[in-house]
Amino acid sequence: MTSHTAPSTGSARSLRRPAVLGFVIGFLAAFVVTMLALVTVVAEAVHPVLVPAAPLLRPIADRMADWPGLVNMVIAGTVNGAVYAAAFVLVALVLRRGRGA
């Protein structure tokens, strides 16, 4: 029988690229989509889908209301980037498993 073990160092390195790419895309998407949502109805409609950090930050929204806007955007971008990074890594794992690698 085989047992599940932690991924090897090579496997972890190969997941670094999708994680970094997902984080950068998610971080930037939070800024771009939020700014566009202020001026267009379409961006406002897709904002909840493209910025999943918003519902995750709702529990601390009352505290964040007094903070500077840029601080709020950096926090939202970081959380959004983390969500995107996790999604990109999961997709990479599924694709790798599908190829049998």
Side-chain angles (χ1 to χ4, degrees):
M1 276 198 191
T2 60
S3 64
H4 256 359
T5 59
S8 67
T9 306
S11 177
R13 281 190 188 137
S14 67
L15 293 177
R16 186 172 297 153
R17 178 173 282 157
V20 170
L21 181 63
F23 183 84
V24 169
I25 289 172
F27 188 86
L28 294 175
F31 283 90
V32 172
V33 175
T34 300
M35 293 303 142
L36 288 175
L38 296 172
V39 294
T40 67
V41 177
V42 174
E44 187 177 1
V46 297
H47 186 272
V49 175
L50 296 178
V51 185
L56 295 174
L57 292 173
R58 260 195 208 111
I60 63 168
D62 292 338
R63 291 184 190 145
M64 289 175 68
D66 296 331
W67 299 350
L70 185 59
V71 171
N72 290 335
M73 287 303 300
V74 169
I75 292 170
T78 302
V79 172
N80 205 54
V83 170
Y84 272 63
F88 274 52
V89 167
L90 287 174
V91 168
L93 286 170
V94 167
L95 291 175
R96 180 182 301 160
R97 185 173 287 241
R99 282 185 277 168

Coordinates of all heavy atoms in Angstrom, one line a residue:
M1 N 0.8 -1.2 0.0 CA 0.0 0.0 0.0 C 0.9 1.2 0.0 O 1.9 1.3 0.6 CB -0.9 0.0 1.3 CG -2.1 -0.7 1.2 SD -3.1 -0.1 2.5 CE -4.3 -1.3 2.4
T2 N 0.4 2.3 -0.6 CA 1.1 3.5 -0.6 C 0.4 4.5 0.4 O -0.8 4.4 0.6 CB 1.1 4.2 -2.0 OG1 -0.2 4.4 -2.4 CG2 1.8 3.2 -3.0
S3 N 1.2 5.4 0.9 CA 0.6 6.4 1.8 C 0.8 7.7 1.2 O 1.7 8.0 0.4 CB 1.3 6.3 3.2 OG 2.7 6.6 3.0
H4 N -0.1 8.6 1.6 CA 0.1 10.0 1.1 C 1.1 10.7 2.0 O 1.1 10.6 3.2 CB -1.3 10.7 1.3 CG -2.0 10.9 0.1 ND1 -1.6 10.5 -1.2 CD2 -3.2 11.5 -0.2 CE1 -2.4 10.8 -2.1 NE2 -3.5 11.4 -1.5
T5 N 2.0 11.3 1.3 CA 3.1 12.1 2.0 C 3.0 13.5 1.6 O 2.4 13.8 0.6 CB 4.5 11.5 1.7 OG1 4.7 11.5 0.3 CG2 4.6 10.0 2.3
A6 N 3.8 14.3 2.2 CA 3.9 15.7 1.8 C 4.5 15.8 0.5 O 5.4 15.0 0.1 CB 4.7 16.5 2.9
P7 N 4.2 16.8 -0.3 CA 4.8 17.0 -1.6 C 6.3 17.2 -1.5 O 6.8 17.7 -0.5 CB 4.2 18.2 -2.2 CG 3.4 18.9 -1.1 CD 3.3 17.9 0.0
S8 N 7.0 16.7 -2.5 CA 8.5 16.8 -2.4 C 8.9 18.3 -2.7 O 8.1 19.1 -3.1 CB 9.1 15.9 -3.5 OG 8.7 16.4 -4.8
T9 N 10.1 18.6 -2.5 CA 10.6 20.0 -2.7 C 10.4 20.4 -4.1 O 10.0 21.5 -4.4 CB 12.1 20.1 -2.3 OG1 12.2 19.6 -1.0 CG2 12.5 21.5 -2.3
G10 N 10.6 19.5 -5.0 CA 10.4 19.9 -6.4 C 9.0 20.2 -6.7 O 8.6 21.1 -7.5
S11 N 8.1 19.4 -6.1 CA 6.6 19.7 -6.3 C 6.2 21.0 -5.7 O 5.4 21.7 -6.3 CB 5.8 18.5 -5.7 OG 4.5 18.8 -5.8
A12 N 6.8 21.3 -4.6 CA 6.4 22.6 -3.9 C 7.0 23.8 -4.8 O 6.3 24.8 -4.9 CB 7.0 22.6 -2.5
R13 N 8.1 23.6 -5.3 CA 8.7 24.6 -6.2 C 7.8 24.8 -7.4 O 7.6 25.9 -7.9 CB 10.1 24.3 -6.6 CG 11.1 24.6 -5.6 CD 12.5 24.5 -6.1 NE 13.4 24.6 -5.0 CZ 14.5 23.8 -4.8 NH1 14.8 22.9 -5.7 NH2 15.3 24.0 -3.8
S14 N 7.3 23.7 -8.0 CA 6.5 23.9 -9.2 C 5.1 24.5 -8.9 O 4.5 25.0 -9.8 CB 6.3 22.5 -9.8 OG 5.5 21.7 -9.0
L15 N 4.7 24.5 -7.7 CA 3.5 25.2 -7.3 C 3.7 26.7 -6.9 O 2.7 27.4 -6.8 CB 2.8 24.5 -6.1 CG 2.3 23.1 -6.4 CD1 1.7 22.4 -5.2 CD2 1.2 23.1 -7.6
R16 N 4.9 27.1 -6.8 CA 5.2 28.5 -6.4 C 4.8 29.4 -7.5 O 4.2 30.5 -7.2 CB 6.7 28.6 -6.1 CG 7.1 30.0 -5.6 CD 8.5 30.1 -5.1 NE 8.7 29.2 -4.0 CZ 9.8 28.6 -3.7 NH1 10.9 28.9 -4.4 NH2 9.9 27.8 -2.7
R17 N 5.0 29.0 -8.8 CA 4.7 29.9 -9.9 C 3.2 30.2 -9.9 O 2.8 31.4 -10.0 CB 5.2 29.4 -11.2 CG 4.8 30.3 -12.4 CD 5.4 29.8 -13.7 NE 6.8 30.2 -13.7 CZ 7.8 29.7 -14.4 NH1 7.5 28.7 -15.2 NH2 9.0 30.2 -14.3
P18 N 2.3 29.2 -9.9 CA 0.9 29.5 -9.9 C 0.4 30.3 -8.7 O -0.4 31.1 -8.8 CB 0.2 28.1 -10.0 CG 1.2 27.1 -10.0 CD 2.5 27.7 -10.0
A19 N 1.1 30.0 -7.5 CA 0.7 30.8 -6.3 C 1.1 32.2 -6.5 O 0.3 33.1 -6.1 CB 1.4 30.2 -5.1
V20 N 2.3 32.5 -6.9 CA 2.7 33.9 -7.1 C 1.8 34.6 -8.2 O 1.4 35.7 -8.0 CB 4.2 34.0 -7.4 CG1 4.6 35.4 -7.8 CG2 5.0 33.5 -6.2
L21 N 1.6 33.9 -9.3 CA 0.8 34.5 -10.3 C -0.6 34.8 -9.8 O -1.1 35.9 -10.1 CB 0.8 33.5 -11.5 CG 0.0 34.0 -12.7 CD1 0.6 35.3 -13.3 CD2 -0.1 32.9 -13.8
G22 N -1.2 33.8 -9.1 CA -2.5 34.0 -8.6 C -2.6 35.2 -7.6 O -3.5 36.0 -7.6
F23 N -1.6 35.3 -6.7 CA -1.5 36.4 -5.8 C -1.5 37.7 -6.5 O -2.2 38.7 -6.1 CB -0.4 36.2 -4.8 CG -0.4 37.3 -3.7 CD1 -1.2 37.2 -2.6 CD2 0.4 38.5 -3.9 CE1 -1.2 38.2 -1.6 CE2 0.3 39.5 -3.0 CZ -0.4 39.3 -1.8
V24 N -0.6 37.9 -7.4 CA -0.4 39.1 -8.1 C -1.7 39.5 -8.9 O -2.2 40.7 -8.8 CB 0.8 39.1 -9.1 CG1 0.8 40.3 -10.0 CG2 2.1 39.0 -8.3
I25 N -2.3 38.6 -9.6 CA -3.5 38.8 -10.3 C -4.7 39.2 -9.3 O -5.4 40.2 -9.6 CB -4.0 37.6 -11.2 CG1 -3.0 37.5 -12.3 CG2 -5.4 37.8 -11.7 CD1 -3.2 36.2 -13.2
G26 N -4.8 38.5 -8.2 CA -5.8 38.8 -7.3 C -5.6 40.2 -6.6 O -6.6 40.9 -6.4
F27 N -4.4 40.5 -6.3 CA -4.0 41.7 -5.6 C -4.4 42.9 -6.5 O -5.1 43.8 -6.1 CB -2.6 41.8 -5.2 CG -2.2 43.0 -4.4 CD1 -2.3 42.9 -3.0 CD2 -1.7 44.1 -5.0 CE1 -2.0 44.0 -2.2 CE2 -1.3 45.2 -4.2 CZ -1.5 45.2 -2.8
L28 N -4.0 42.8 -7.8 CA -4.2 43.9 -8.7 C -5.7 43.9 -9.1 O -6.3 45.0 -9.3 CB -3.4 43.7 -10.0 CG -1.9 43.8 -9.8 CD1 -1.1 43.5 -11.1 CD2 -1.5 45.2 -9.3
A29 N -6.4 42.8 -9.2 CA -7.8 42.8 -9.5 C -8.6 43.5 -8.5 O -9.6 44.2 -8.8 CB -8.3 41.3 -9.7
A30 N -8.2 43.4 -7.2 CA -9.0 44.1 -6.2 C -8.9 45.6 -6.4 O -10.0 46.3 -6.2 CB -8.4 43.8 -4.8
F31 N -7.8 46.1 -6.8 CA -7.7 47.6 -7.0 C -8.4 48.0 -8.3 O -9.3 48.9 -8.3 CB -6.2 48.0 -7.2 CG -5.5 48.1 -5.9 CD1 -4.9 47.0 -5.3 CD2 -5.5 49.3 -5.2 CE1 -4.2 47.1 -4.1 CE2 -4.8 49.4 -4.0 CZ -4.2 48.3 -3.4
V32 N -8.2 47.3 -9.4 CA -8.7 47.7 -10.7 C -10.3 47.5 -10.7 O -11.0 48.5 -11.0 CB -8.1 46.8 -11.8 CG1 -8.8 47.1 -13.1 CG2 -6.6 47.1 -11.9
V33 N -10.8 46.4 -10.2 CA -12.2 46.2 -10.2 C -12.9 47.1 -9.3 O -14.0 47.7 -9.6 CB -12.6 44.7 -9.9 CG1 -14.0 44.5 -9.8 CG2 -12.0 43.8 -11.0
T34 N -12.3 47.4 -8.1 CA -12.9 48.3 -7.2 C -13.0 49.7 -7.8 O -14.1 50.4 -7.6 CB -12.2 48.4 -5.8 OG1 -12.2 47.0 -5.3 CG2 -12.8 49.3 -4.9
M35 N -12.0 50.2 -8.4 CA -12.0 51.5 -9.0 C -13.0 51.6 -10.2 O -13.7 52.6 -10.3 CB -10.6 51.9 -9.5 CG -9.6 52.1 -8.4 SD -10.2 53.4 -7.3 CE -9.6 52.7 -5.7
L36 N -13.0 50.5 -11.0 CA -14.0 50.5 -12.1 C -15.4 50.4 -11.6 O -16.3 51.0 -12.2 CB -13.7 49.4 -13.0 CG -12.5 49.5 -13.9 CD1 -12.2 48.2 -14.7 CD2 -12.6 50.7 -14.8
A37 N -15.6 49.7 -10.4 CA -17.0 49.6 -9.9 C -17.5 51.0 -9.4 O -18.7 51.2 -9.3 CB -17.0 48.6 -8.7
L38 N -16.6 51.9 -9.1 CA -17.1 53.3 -8.8 C -17.6 54.0 -9.9 O -18.4 55.0 -9.7 CB -15.9 54.0 -8.1 CG -15.4 53.5 -6.8 CD1 -14.1 54.2 -6.4 CD2 -16.4 53.5 -5.7
V39 N -17.3 53.7 -11.2 CA -17.7 54.4 -12.3 C -18.5 53.7 -13.3 O -19.2 54.3 -14.2 CB -16.5 55.1 -13.0 CG1 -15.8 56.1 -12.1 CG2 -15.5 54.0 -13.5
T40 N -18.6 52.3 -13.3 CA -19.4 51.6 -14.2 C -20.3 50.6 -13.5 O -19.9 50.0 -12.5 CB -18.5 50.8 -15.3 OG1 -17.8 49.8 -14.6 CG2 -17.5 51.7 -16.0
V41 N -21.4 50.4 -14.1 CA -22.4 49.5 -13.6 C -22.0 48.0 -13.8 O -22.2 47.2 -12.9 CB -23.8 49.7 -14.2 CG1 -24.8 48.7 -13.7 CG2 -24.3 51.2 -14.0
V42 N -21.3 47.8 -14.9 CA -20.9 46.4 -15.2 C -19.9 46.0 -14.2 O -19.9 44.9 -13.6 CB -20.3 46.3 -16.6 CG1 -19.7 45.0 -16.9 CG2 -21.4 46.7 -17.7
A43 N -18.9 46.8 -13.9 CA -17.8 46.4 -12.9 C -18.4 46.3 -11.5 O -18.0 45.4 -10.8 CB -16.7 47.5 -12.9
E44 N -19.4 47.1 -11.2 CA -20.1 47.0 -9.9 C -20.8 45.6 -9.8 O -20.9 45.0 -8.8 CB -21.1 48.1 -9.8 CG -21.7 48.2 -8.4 CD -22.6 49.4 -8.3 OE1 -22.8 50.2 -9.2 OE2 -23.2 49.6 -7.2
A45 N -21.4 45.2 -10.9 CA -22.1 43.9 -10.9 C -21.1 42.7 -10.8 O -21.5 41.7 -10.1 CB -22.9 43.8 -12.2
V46 N -20.0 42.8 -11.4 CA -19.0 41.7 -11.3 C -18.1 41.8 -10.1 O -17.3 40.8 -9.9 CB -18.2 41.5 -12.6 CG1 -19.2 41.1 -13.8 CG2 -17.4 42.7 -12.9
H47 N -18.1 42.9 -9.4 CA -17.2 43.1 -8.3 C -17.3 41.9 -7.2 O -16.2 41.4 -6.8 CB -17.5 44.4 -7.6 CG -16.5 44.8 -6.5 ND1 -16.7 44.4 -5.2 CD2 -15.4 45.5 -6.6 CE1 -15.7 44.8 -4.5 NE2 -14.9 45.5 -5.3
P48 N -18.4 41.5 -6.8 CA -18.5 40.4 -5.8 C -17.8 39.1 -6.3 O -17.3 38.3 -5.5 CB -20.0 40.2 -5.5 CG -20.6 41.4 -6.0 CD -19.8 42.0 -7.1
V49 N -17.9 38.9 -7.6 CA -17.3 37.6 -8.2 C -15.8 37.8 -8.3 O -15.0 36.8 -7.9 CB -17.9 37.3 -9.5 CG1 -17.2 36.1 -10.2 CG2 -19.4 37.1 -9.4
L50 N -15.3 38.9 -8.7 CA -13.9 39.1 -9.0 C -13.1 39.5 -7.7 O -11.9 39.4 -7.7 CB -13.6 40.1 -10.1 CG -14.2 39.7 -11.4 CD1 -13.9 40.8 -12.4 CD2 -13.5 38.5 -11.9
V51 N -13.8 40.0 -6.7 CA -13.1 40.4 -5.4 C -13.8 39.6 -4.3 O -14.6 40.2 -3.5 CB -13.2 41.9 -5.2 CG1 -12.4 42.3 -4.0 CG2 -12.7 42.6 -6.5
P52 N -13.5 38.3 -4.1 CA -14.1 37.6 -3.0 C -13.6 38.0 -1.7 O -14.1 37.5 -0.7 CB -13.6 36.1 -3.4 CG -12.4 36.2 -4.2 CD -12.6 37.5 -5.0
A53 N -12.6 38.9 -1.6 CA -12.1 39.4 -0.3 C -13.2 40.2 0.4 O -13.2 40.3 1.7 CB -10.9 40.2 -0.5
A54 N -14.1 40.9 -0.3 CA -15.1 41.7 0.3 C -15.9 41.0 1.3 O -16.0 41.5 2.5 CB -15.9 42.4 -0.8
P55 N -16.5 39.9 1.0 CA -17.3 39.2 2.0 C -16.5 38.7 3.2 O -16.9 38.6 4.3 CB -18.0 38.0 1.3 CG -17.8 38.3 -0.1 CD -16.7 39.3 -0.3
L56 N -15.2 38.3 2.9 CA -14.3 37.8 3.9 C -14.0 38.9 4.9 O -13.7 38.6 6.1 CB -13.1 37.2 3.3 CG -13.3 36.0 2.4 CD1 -12.0 35.6 1.8 CD2 -13.8 34.8 3.3
L57 N -13.9 40.1 4.5 CA -13.6 41.2 5.4 C -14.8 41.9 6.0 O -14.6 42.8 6.9 CB -12.8 42.3 4.6 CG -11.4 41.8 4.1 CD1 -10.8 42.9 3.2 CD2 -10.5 41.6 5.3
R58 N -16.0 41.4 5.7 CA -17.2 42.0 6.4 C -17.1 42.0 7.9 O -17.6 43.0 8.5 CB -18.4 41.4 5.8 CG -19.0 42.2 4.8 CD -20.4 41.9 4.4 NE -20.6 42.3 3.0 CZ -20.7 41.5 2.0 NH1 -20.8 40.2 2.2 NH2 -20.8 41.9 0.8
P59 N -16.6 40.9 8.5 CA -16.6 40.9 10.0 C -15.8 42.1 10.6 O -16.1 42.5 11.7 CB -16.0 39.6 10.4 CG -16.3 38.7 9.2 CD -16.3 39.6 8.0
I60 N -14.9 42.6 9.9 CA -14.1 43.7 10.5 C -14.3 45.0 9.8 O -13.6 46.0 10.0 CB -12.6 43.4 10.5 CG1 -12.0 43.2 9.1 CG2 -12.2 42.2 11.3 CD1 -10.5 43.2 9.0
A61 N -15.4 45.1 9.0 CA -15.7 46.3 8.2 C -16.0 47.5 9.1 O -15.6 48.6 8.8 CB -16.9 46.1 7.3
D62 N -16.6 47.3 10.3 CA -16.8 48.4 11.2 C -15.5 49.1 11.6 O -15.4 50.3 11.7 CB -17.7 48.0 12.4 CG -19.1 47.6 12.0 OD1 -19.6 48.1 10.9 OD2 -19.7 46.9 12.8
R63 N -14.6 48.2 12.0 CA -13.3 48.8 12.4 C -12.5 49.4 11.2 O -11.9 50.4 11.4 CB -12.4 47.6 13.0 CG -12.9 47.1 14.3 CD -12.0 46.1 14.8 NE -12.7 45.4 15.9 CZ -12.5 44.2 16.2 NH1 -11.7 43.4 15.5 NH2 -13.1 43.7 17.3
M64 N -12.6 48.8 10.1 CA -11.9 49.3 8.9 C -12.5 50.7 8.4 O -11.8 51.4 7.7 CB -12.0 48.3 7.8 CG -11.1 47.1 8.0 SD -11.3 45.8 6.7 CE -10.5 46.6 5.3
A65 N -13.7 51.0 8.8 CA -14.3 52.2 8.3 C -13.5 53.5 8.7 O -13.6 54.5 8.0 CB -15.8 52.3 8.8
D66 N -12.8 53.4 9.8 CA -12.1 54.6 10.3 C -10.7 54.6 9.8 O -9.9 55.6 10.0 CB -12.0 54.6 11.8 CG -13.4 54.8 12.5 OD1 -14.3 55.4 11.8 OD2 -13.6 54.3 13.6
W67 N -10.2 53.6 9.1 CA -8.9 53.5 8.6 C -8.8 54.2 7.2 O -9.8 54.4 6.5 CB -8.5 52.0 8.4 CG -8.5 51.2 9.6 CD1 -8.6 51.7 10.9 CD2 -8.3 49.8 9.7 NE1 -8.6 50.6 11.8 CE2 -8.4 49.5 11.1 CE3 -8.2 48.8 8.8 CZ2 -8.3 48.1 11.5 CZ3 -8.1 47.5 9.2 CH2 -8.1 47.2 10.6
P68 N -7.6 54.7 6.9 CA -7.4 55.3 5.6 C -7.8 54.3 4.4 O -7.6 53.1 4.5 CB -5.9 55.6 5.5 CG -5.5 55.7 6.9 CD -6.3 54.7 7.7
G69 N -8.3 54.9 3.3 CA -8.7 54.0 2.2 C -7.6 53.2 1.6 O -7.9 52.0 1.2
L70 N -6.4 53.7 1.5 CA -5.3 53.0 0.9 C -5.0 51.8 1.8 O -4.7 50.7 1.3 CB -4.1 53.8 0.7 CG -2.9 53.2 0.0 CD1 -3.3 52.7 -1.4 CD2 -1.8 54.2 -0.1
V71 N -5.1 51.9 3.1 CA -4.8 50.8 4.0 C -5.9 49.7 3.8 O -5.6 48.5 3.7 CB -4.8 51.2 5.5 CG1 -4.8 50.0 6.4 CG2 -3.7 52.2 5.8
N72 N -7.1 50.1 3.6 CA -8.2 49.2 3.4 C -8.0 48.4 2.0 O -8.2 47.2 1.9 CB -9.6 49.9 3.4 CG -10.0 50.3 4.7 OD1 -9.6 49.8 5.7 ND2 -10.8 51.4 4.8
M73 N -7.5 49.2 1.0 CA -7.3 48.6 -0.3 C -6.2 47.6 -0.2 O -6.2 46.5 -0.9 CB -7.1 49.7 -1.3 CG -8.3 50.4 -1.7 SD -9.6 49.4 -2.4 CE -8.9 48.6 -3.8
V74 N -5.1 47.9 0.5 CA -4.0 47.0 0.6 C -4.4 45.7 1.3 O -4.0 44.6 0.9 CB -2.8 47.7 1.3 CG1 -1.7 46.6 1.7 CG2 -2.2 48.7 0.4
I75 N -5.2 45.8 2.4 CA -5.7 44.7 3.1 C -6.6 43.8 2.2 O -6.4 42.6 2.1 CB -6.4 45.1 4.4 CG1 -5.4 45.6 5.4 CG2 -7.1 43.9 5.0 CD1 -6.0 46.3 6.6
A76 N -7.5 44.5 1.5 CA -8.4 43.8 0.6 C -7.6 43.1 -0.5 O -7.9 42.0 -0.9 CB -9.5 44.7 0.0
G77 N -6.6 43.8 -1.1 CA -5.8 43.3 -2.1 C -5.0 42.0 -1.7 O -4.9 41.0 -2.4
T78 N -4.5 42.1 -0.4 CA -3.8 41.0 0.1 C -4.7 39.8 0.3 O -4.3 38.6 0.0 CB -3.1 41.4 1.4 OG1 -2.3 42.5 1.2 CG2 -2.3 40.2 2.0
V79 N -5.8 40.0 0.9 CA -6.8 38.9 1.1 C -7.2 38.3 -0.2 O -7.3 37.1 -0.4 CB -8.0 39.3 2.0 CG1 -9.0 38.2 2.0 CG2 -7.5 39.7 3.4
N80 N -7.5 39.2 -1.2 CA -8.0 38.8 -2.5 C -6.9 38.0 -3.2 O -7.1 37.0 -3.8 CB -8.4 40.0 -3.3 CG -9.4 39.6 -4.4 OD1 -10.4 39.0 -4.2 ND2 -9.0 40.0 -5.6
G81 N -5.6 38.5 -3.1 CA -4.5 37.8 -3.6 C -4.3 36.4 -3.1 O -4.0 35.4 -3.8
A82 N -4.5 36.3 -1.8 CA -4.4 34.9 -1.1 C -5.5 34.0 -1.6 O -5.2 32.8 -1.9 CB -4.5 35.1 0.4
V83 N -6.7 34.5 -1.8 CA -7.8 33.6 -2.4 C -7.4 33.2 -3.8 O -7.6 32.0 -4.1 CB -9.1 34.4 -2.3 CG1 -10.2 33.6 -3.1 CG2 -9.6 34.7 -0.9
Y84 N -7.0 34.1 -4.6 CA -6.6 33.8 -6.0 C -5.4 32.8 -6.0 O -5.4 31.9 -6.8 CB -6.2 35.0 -6.8 CG -7.4 35.7 -7.4 CD1 -8.5 36.3 -6.7 CD2 -7.5 35.8 -8.8 CE1 -9.5 36.9 -7.3 CE2 -8.5 36.5 -9.5 CZ -9.5 37.0 -8.7 OH -10.6 37.7 -9.3
A85 N -4.4 33.0 -5.1 CA -3.3 32.1 -5.1 C -3.7 30.7 -4.7 O -3.3 29.7 -5.4 CB -2.3 32.6 -4.0
A86 N -4.6 30.6 -3.8 CA -5.1 29.3 -3.4 C -5.9 28.6 -4.5 O -5.7 27.4 -4.8 CB -6.0 29.4 -2.2
A87 N -6.7 29.4 -5.3 CA -7.4 28.9 -6.4 C -6.5 28.4 -7.5 O -6.7 27.4 -8.1 CB -8.4 29.9 -6.9
F88 N -5.4 29.2 -7.8 CA -4.5 28.9 -8.9 C -3.7 27.6 -8.5 O -3.5 26.8 -9.4 CB -3.5 30.0 -9.1 CG -4.0 31.1 -10.1 CD1 -5.3 31.7 -9.9 CD2 -3.2 31.5 -11.1 CE1 -5.7 32.6 -10.8 CE2 -3.7 32.4 -12.0 CZ -4.9 33.0 -11.8
V89 N -3.3 27.5 -7.2 CA -2.6 26.3 -6.8 C -3.5 25.0 -6.9 O -3.1 24.0 -7.4 CB -2.1 26.4 -5.4 CG1 -1.6 25.1 -4.8 CG2 -0.9 27.4 -5.4
L90 N -4.8 25.2 -6.5 CA -5.7 24.0 -6.7 C -5.9 23.7 -8.1 O -5.9 22.5 -8.5 CB -7.1 24.4 -6.0 CG -7.1 24.4 -4.5 CD1 -8.5 24.9 -4.0 CD2 -6.8 23.0 -4.0
V91 N -6.0 24.6 -9.0 CA -6.2 24.3 -10.4 C -4.9 23.6 -11.0 O -5.0 22.7 -11.7 CB -6.5 25.6 -11.2 CG1 -6.3 25.4 -12.7 CG2 -7.9 26.1 -10.9
A92 N -3.7 24.1 -10.5 CA -2.5 23.5 -11.0 C -2.4 22.1 -10.5 O -1.9 21.2 -11.2 CB -1.3 24.3 -10.4
L93 N -2.8 21.8 -9.2 CA -2.8 20.4 -8.7 C -3.8 19.5 -9.5 O -3.4 18.4 -9.8 CB -3.2 20.4 -7.2 CG -2.1 20.9 -6.3 CD1 -2.6 21.1 -4.9 CD2 -0.9 20.0 -6.3
V94 N -5.0 20.0 -9.8 CA -5.9 19.2 -10.6 C -5.4 18.9 -12.0 O -5.5 17.8 -12.5 CB -7.3 20.0 -10.6 CG1 -8.2 19.3 -11.7 CG2 -7.9 20.0 -9.3
L95 N -4.8 20.0 -12.6 CA -4.3 19.7 -13.9 C -3.1 18.8 -13.9 O -3.0 17.9 -14.8 CB -3.8 21.1 -14.5 CG -4.9 22.1 -14.9 CD1 -4.3 23.4 -15.4 CD2 -5.8 21.5 -15.9
R96 N -2.3 18.9 -12.9 CA -1.1 17.9 -12.8 C -1.6 16.5 -12.5 O -1.1 15.6 -13.1 CB -0.2 18.3 -11.6 CG 0.9 17.4 -11.5 CD 1.8 17.8 -10.3 NE 2.3 19.1 -10.5 CZ 2.7 19.8 -9.5 NH1 2.7 19.4 -8.3 NH2 3.2 21.1 -9.7
R97 N -2.6 16.3 -11.7 CA -3.2 15.0 -11.4 C -3.9 14.5 -12.7 O -3.8 13.3 -13.0 CB -4.2 15.1 -10.3 CG -4.7 13.7 -9.9 CD -5.6 13.8 -8.7 NE -4.8 14.1 -7.5 CZ -4.7 13.3 -6.5 NH1 -5.4 12.2 -6.5 NH2 -3.9 13.6 -5.5
G98 N -4.5 15.3 -13.5 CA -5.1 14.9 -14.7 C -4.1 14.4 -15.7 O -4.4 13.5 -16.5
R99 N -2.9 15.0 -15.7 CA -1.9 14.6 -16.7 C -1.1 13.4 -16.1 O -0.3 12.8 -16.8 CB -0.9 15.7 -16.9 CG -1.4 16.7 -17.9 CD -0.4 17.8 -18.2 NE -0.4 18.7 -17.1 CZ 0.5 19.7 -16.8 NH1 1.5 19.8 -17.6 NH2 0.3 20.5 -15.8
G100 N -1.3 13.0 -14.9 CA -0.7 11.9 -14.3 C 0.8 12.2 -13.9 O 1.6 11.3 -13.7
A101 N 1.1 13.5 -13.7 CA 2.5 13.8 -13.3 C 2.7 13.8 -11.8 O 1.9 13.8 -11.0 CB 2.8 15.2 -13.8

